[in-house]
Amino acid sequence: MKKRSIWSLITLLAFAVSCYTLIGCGSEDPVKAKTPKKSSIISVDLAYASDLNGGMLPDGLISELATQGIKISSDAAVKVNQEGKEWLITDKENQQAYTATAESDKITFNKATFIDYEVERDAVAETYKNFVTNYNTRKLTNVFKLWTNKPSDELLVNIAENETIYAEGKGVRDTLLHLTKGHASTTSDKWSGSSISEMYIRSRGGRLEASIHSPNALRNGETWVYLTKIGRKWLINKVESIETRNLAGHVKVQIHEKDQLDGIGYFDNKKFLVDL
């Protein structure tokens, strides 16, 4: 009887220990307080909007961004995409770019694709200049090298009243060759120059693309060009040239992205306008 009592006591103690270990026998384990997650949103006071509108990055703004993990050079360029609402900050020194957007009582910062606009602007202008120069001197082999030579290539030229010449894909090469050999007396026709009145550059789908509007054209007039950067080269994908006497009836740019089935073509959103 005594042995049975001792055995029962041992069993009871073992059960008590197990109960305490597994479930605490009704007692609650202390719960550690969770550390609040640090916000990933970078924002500053809306008061800085007036500085950004003026293209400035005051020391206070730079310091405030630094405390939130964004290092911006005081020489970074500020472009006003929409006054009081959106700005693009390009920092060449740190090879970074940010979009700043006004939201209620704050301005939020988000990373953007870094583009060295001065370098790309000059490269785009050089490609167009080479196109004009090589065409005018009839160095067509060099002209063809400046195109993407893809099925999406387009050429639209209006050099006579009610006559529009259109080609796409491989037909672009043949049409340019035909024009230089004398289509409707075009043997000696030239682009009158390579000046550019407007240029747009943007990043889309992981690649850079550009648009040009020039007050020069084959037989004088206006030209619209869409280019894309492939590797290290800017190449032409679409050209639309309208002679001066036909501009009155030219109601829209045919190679505009809005009129392309794939949405890829000339674009002129002022948000992407670059200084020439």
Side-chain angles (χ1 to χ4, degrees), residues 115 117 120-121 124 199-202 209-210 267 272 274:
I115 300 174
Y117 286 95
E120 302 302 347
R121 174 200 64 197
V124 170
M199 183 188 296
Y200 305 84
I201 297 177
R202 70 182 179 188
E209 51 186 15
F267 58 96
F272 305 110
V274 299

Side-chain angles (χ1 to χ4, degrees), residues 16-214:
V17 171
S18 298
C19 180
Y20 180 82
T21 302
L22 296 175
I23 61 175
C25 281
S27 64
E28 295 184 0
D29 289 333
V31 178
K32 293 182 179 180
K34 292 184 178 180
T35 303
K37 290 184 178 180
K38 186 177 180 180
S39 175
S40 60
I41 299 175
I42 307 298
S43 64
V44 298
D45 194 276
L46 189 61
Y48 288 114
S50 58
D51 294 301
L52 294 173
N53 282 337
M56 298 183 294
L57 287 171
D59 293 339
L61 174 56
I62 293 175
S63 297
E64 194 167 337
L65 289 173
T67 62
Q68 299 184 62
I70 291 183
K71 181 181 179 181
I72 292 182
S73 167
S74 58
D75 294 325
V78 179
K79 180 177 182 292
V80 181
N81 286 341
Q82 190 174 359
E83 189 169 351
K85 293 185 178 181
E86 184 179 290
W87 306 266
L88 174 65
I89 300 169
T90 304
D91 186 355
K92 292 180 67 173
E93 182 179 318
N94 295 300
Q95 298 284 288
Q96 296 285 349
Y98 301 90
T99 54
T101 308
E103 298 178 0
S104 61
D105 61 344
K106 62 185 178 181
I107 299 173
T108 59
F109 284 73
N110 292 285
K111 270 195 173 184
T113 301
F114 173 75
I115 300 174
D116 190 329
Y117 286 95
E118 292 181 2
V119 170
E120 302 302 347
R121 174 200 64 197
D122 293 345
V124 170
E126 186 68 17
T127 295
Y128 180 57
K129 179 181 178 180
N130 288 338
F131 167 72
V132 170
T133 301
N134 283 299
Y135 182 91
N136 288 348
T137 56
R138 299 305 189 257
K139 296 178 181 178
L140 294 187
T141 299
N142 293 336
V143 169
F144 301 147
K145 289 179 180 178
L146 296 171
W147 284 73
T148 65
N149 291 301
K150 292 185 176 182
S152 59
D153 284 356
E154 286 185 59
L155 174 67
L156 190 153
V157 179
N158 192 321
I159 53 175
E161 192 173 0
N162 299 321
E163 181 181 5
T164 299
I165 299 170
Y166 177 79
E168 61 182 10
K170 293 181 179 180
V172 170
R173 177 189 292 251
D174 295 335
T175 300
L176 287 171
L177 184 61
H178 187 49
L179 284 170
T180 60
K181 289 185 176 296
H183 173 85
S185 303
T186 60
T187 306
S188 59
D189 286 344
K190 298 180 179 181
W191 255 265
S192 60
S194 58
S195 62
I196 298 170
S197 57
E198 290 182 335
M199 183 188 296
Y200 305 84
I201 297 177
R202 70 182 179 188
S203 173
R204 187 172 73 159
R207 70 175 184 180
L208 293 182
E209 51 186 15
S211 290
I212 289 173
H213 180 206
S214 172

